[in-house]
Amino acid sequence: MMSVLFCSVGRRAKLLTDFKKTNSEISVLATDCSQYAPGLYSADKKFITPRVDDPYYLDCILDICKKHNVKAITTLIDPEIEILADNRELFIKQGVLPLCPSKATSLLCFDKFKMFKFLKSKNINTVLTYDNLNDFEVGLEKNEISFPVFIKPRAGSASVGAEKVDDIVNLKSIITSNPKSGYIIQELMVGDDVDVDVYVDCISNKAVSIFSKLKIETKIGGASKTISFKDDALFDLVKEIIPHFEFFGPIDMDFFYCDGQYFLSEINPRFGGAYPHAYGAGVDFHKMIINNVDSKENVESIGDYADDIVMLMYDDVVIKNKSELAN
């Protein structure tokens, strides 16, 4: 039986159970560095691995792929994307489809200031961003930007360290007291917060499926309540943006909608935390992955869902005897 490997699954149990619904003949494998990761217990097979920064981590993942007939691999955390991207060819030689971007694209996605500069160079609307206090203060004097502003770590994940700042005194205090955080300073966007799930076909490299949703509530760095909508202007914009990068498989794009325009905030080249909304509305990236594994190009099905489908995320639990935990 062929397998698909989800790495660093953490709490993402729903994503794995949905995958098993799509095709019961495919084995779903999951890894994490903690036996207490709930997502492990939604998989057909589970593995405890070293941390992603361990020098033996890659060997461990490659060994799992070899021993368990893995045909596709993805990760659910940002720090691991670069590891998979750096070793794309190694996985491909082993017969595994890596659902991750190229190395160059992964570096752009993980560095928010590099992404800002890249988007500006391509004339793509994005959020005004500074990578240091001096440049920000120059922008402030020129009235390019004003308070309040939004700050977050340049290479952060899951909204850790992100916050609104109302004045220069607090801004300087936060940045100078956390020199290792590498903060960026951004224009505070006032408008709709939009999340878009995109499947980029691994053969054609085109966006073949797009699901857009408006964020109603956000918790723990991700959208917990969302409502679907369709906008051809947004779909066209996504299709224009994708060719500037090298993506393979599912990605998550964040936009702000202000004054009748969309502004791209960031791209996470992995399954987004709110992807279960897309699946629940009938947008099945899992089938698209299997098609690509079988060397089949996916047919474009953009906007193939209904408006006003609402996702209401809630907490669930996994109950196990200690002897049943992964080891």
Side-chain angles (χ1 to χ4, degrees):
M1 179 182 288
M2 69 168 279
S3 304
V4 175
L5 177 60
F6 291 82
C7 298
S8 305
V9 292
R11 296 162 52 91
R12 305 284 294 279
K14 177 65 173 167
L15 180 65
L16 275 62
T17 57
D18 286 344
F19 198 104
K20 291 198 291 184
K21 289 178 188 175
T22 292
N23 194 323
S24 60
E25 295 181 1
I26 294 174
S27 182
V28 175
L29 278 52
T31 74
D32 203 275
C33 64
S34 170
Q35 66 180 157
Y36 300 109
L40 288 172
Y41 303 96
S42 290
D44 296 308
K45 295 179 182 178
K46 48 195 177 292
F47 306 90
I48 303 302
T49 66
R51 287 172 51 90
V52 297
D53 55 1
D54 188 289
Y56 296 103
Y57 180 75
L58 180 62
D59 288 339
C60 179
I61 295 300
L62 287 168
D63 189 53
I64 292 170
C65 290
K66 184 177 181 179
K67 290 180 177 177
H68 298 277
N69 197 30
V70 171
K71 294 301 180 184
I73 184 172
T74 189
T75 179
L76 303 182
I77 61 169
D78 294 328
E80 191 172 2
I81 292 169
E82 190 175 342
I83 296 172
L84 297 185
D86 282 350
N87 295 281
R88 275 192 63 81
E89 293 306 316
L90 194 56
F91 284 105
I92 291 170
K93 285 179 181 178
Q94 195 164 301
V96 181
L97 175 65
L99 300 168
C100 67
S102 67
K103 181 176 181 179
T105 292
S106 73
L107 293 173
L108 275 177
C109 292
F110 200 59
D111 188 317
K112 295 175 176 61
F113 189 67
K114 282 185 179 179
M115 176 64 86
F116 165 74
K117 291 194 294 182
F118 181 79
L119 295 176
K120 291 294 288 183
S121 73
K122 302 300 181 182
N123 296 314
I124 297 170
N125 281 347
T126 188
V127 182
L128 180 60
T129 303
Y130 301 88
D131 70 334
N132 63 77
L133 268 172
N134 289 337
D135 287 349
F136 168 75
E137 289 183 300
V138 171
L140 200 60
E141 291 177 4
K142 293 180 177 180
N143 294 318
E144 294 174 348
I145 192 168
S146 60
F147 284 101
V149 296
F150 197 73
I151 66 167
K152 54 188 174 184
R154 179 170 173 161
S157 179
S159 296
V160 174
E163 61 180 300
K164 184 177 80 167
V165 181
D166 293 317
D167 56 68
I168 191 69
V169 174
N170 283 333
L171 179 63
K172 288 183 176 180
S173 174
I174 294 169
I175 291 178
T176 55
S177 61
N178 297 280
K180 293 183 179 180
S181 295
Y183 280 108
I184 55 170
I185 307 163
Q186 294 186 312
E187 174 185 9
L188 183 67
M189 302 298 288
V190 179
D192 291 332
D193 198 350
V194 174
D195 190 43
V196 183
D197 296 298
V198 183
Y199 190 85
V200 180
D201 190 79
C202 298
I203 298 171
S204 69
N205 296 120
K206 294 179 181 178
V208 292
S209 181
I210 303 173
F211 178 82
S212 55
K213 53 197 180 291
L214 182 67
K215 295 179 184 177
I216 300 170
E217 179 185 83
T218 300
K219 288 185 177 179
I220 321 177
S224 54
K225 293 182 174 68
T226 52
I227 182 167
S228 67
F229 73 97
K230 292 190 278 189
D231 183 350
D232 288 337
L234 177 57
F235 295 157
D236 289 342
L237 177 59
V238 169
K239 288 193 287 185
E240 290 172 11
I241 291 171
I242 294 303
H244 293 293
F245 300 89
E246 292 179 295
F247 293 119
F248 302 89
I251 67 171
D252 174 56
M253 304 177 75
D254 291 332
F255 291 88
F256 289 103
Y257 184 68
C258 305
D259 300 323
Q261 295 187 81
Y262 288 99
F263 294 81
L264 178 58
S265 172
E266 61 183 70
I267 305 176
N268 300 302
R270 53 169 171 73
F271 276 103
Y275 169 74
H277 187 179
Y279 183 84
V283 179
D284 193 344
F285 288 3
H286 310 314
K287 284 183 180 178
M288 296 180 182
I289 290 171
I290 300 309
N291 283 341
N292 282 165
V293 167
D294 291 337
S295 300
K296 297 176 184 175
E297 185 176 325
N298 286 291
V299 177
E300 184 177 299
S301 57
I302 291 172
D304 191 12
Y305 60 91
D307 285 315
D308 297 331
I309 304 296
V310 179
M311 180 193 73
L312 307 173
M313 193 177 290
Y314 69 100
D315 287 332
D316 203 346
V317 299
V318 174
I319 303 296
K320 296 285 181 183
N321 188 286
K322 184 178 179 181
S323 62
E324 298 176 289
L325 296 180
N327 55 54

